[in-house]
């Protein structure tokens, strides 16, 4: 670990601590770094914004993408105060940063009742065995959008 890694992680951790002290959401912070400087910060604001997707990593990704005017974070690094949950990990993969660093583990999070293991277990199950009622309907009608996408000359692939 070099001094810059430490500096960026300290900022993610600072955001997580401040978030608890300010009662804005869970104890999670994240920063996005490009070219050796922080370009976006995020803290968990699920409860303060009534948004279950407002995890620190997602907030930071949204800010960074807006700033860079792109939907991909190639050339960026993400520093998170905790190992990302399944939703955030998926968002990070979709954002395509070059690197991800985290401090607390998912086991540390589970120890304070932020346990995402049930989601990992649910994802691995066949759809019909999941706890959330899920049923596929109107597939044939929905395929129209996919067909149009497949033949579109204006699409931006991602």
């Amino acid at each position: 670990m070099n001094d810059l890694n430490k500096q960026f992680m300290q900022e993610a951790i600072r955001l997580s601590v401040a978030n608890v002290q300010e009662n804005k959401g869970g104890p999670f912070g994240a920063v996005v770094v490009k070219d050796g400087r922080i370009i976006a910060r995020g803290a968990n604001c699920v409860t303060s914004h009534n948004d279950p997707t407002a995890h620190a990593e997602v907030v930071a990704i949204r800010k960074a993408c807006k700033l860079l005017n792109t939907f991909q974070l190639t050339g960026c690094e993400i520093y998170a105060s905790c190992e990302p949950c399944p939703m955030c990990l998926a968002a990070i993969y979709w954002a395509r940063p070059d690197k991800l660093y985290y401090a607390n583990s998912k086991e540390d999070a589970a120890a304070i009742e932020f346990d995402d293991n049930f989601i990992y277990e649910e994802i691995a199950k066949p759809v019909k065995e999941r706890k959330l009622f899920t049923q596929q309907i109107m597939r044939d009608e929905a395929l129209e959008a996919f067909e149009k996408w497949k033949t579109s000359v204006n699409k931006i692939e991602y």
Side-chain angles (χ1 to χ4, degrees), residues 44-55 58-59 62 87:
N44 180 290
C45 51
V46 168
T47 56
S48 60
H49 290 178
N50 294 318
D51 180 352
T53 69
H55 290 200
V58 172
V59 171
R62 288 173 181 164
M87 177 186 69

Side-chain angles (χ1 to χ4, degrees), residues 53-158:
T53 69
H55 290 200
E57 299 91 334
V58 172
V59 171
I61 288 168
R62 288 173 181 164
K63 288 178 179 179
C65 287
K66 185 172 184 176
L67 176 78
L68 297 173
N69 194 32
T70 183
F71 52 84
Q72 293 186 344
L73 296 178
T74 305
C76 295
E77 300 172 348
I78 296 178
Y79 292 78
S81 66
C82 186
E83 185 174 358
C85 74
M87 177 186 69
C88 292
L89 186 58
I92 290 166
Y93 270 96
W94 280 116
R96 294 179 177 87
D98 293 354
K99 296 178 181 176
L100 165 66
Y101 299 93
Y102 66 90
N104 290 319
S105 69
K106 62 184 177 184
E107 292 80 15
D108 296 329
I112 62 163
E113 299 183 13
F114 285 95
D115 189 354
D116 299 320
N117 196 49
F118 78 96
I119 297 173
Y120 289 109
E121 290 172 356
E122 285 290 298
I123 289 169
K125 292 178 183 177
V127 172
K128 293 196 180 288
E129 292 179 21
R130 294 180 185 163
K131 291 179 181 162
L132 176 66
F133 174 84
T134 306
Q135 180 180 11
Q136 182 179 25
I137 62 173
M138 297 184 67
R139 178 178 178 263
D140 291 340
E141 292 84 349
L143 284 173
E144 178 183 355
F146 284 12
E147 289 300 321
K148 289 186 181 304
W149 174 261
K150 189 166 72 174
T151 60
S152 174
V153 295
N154 298 319
K155 66 184 168 194
I156 299 172
E157 302 216 13
Y158 59 96

Side-chain angles (χ1 to χ4, degrees), residues 7-23:
Q7 176 187 334
F8 299 141
M9 186 57 77
Q10 284 175 329
E11 178 61 7
I13 293 168
R14 184 196 68 75
L15 289 166
S16 70
V17 172
N19 210 49
V20 174
Q21 292 170 333
E22 296 166 10
N23 199 31

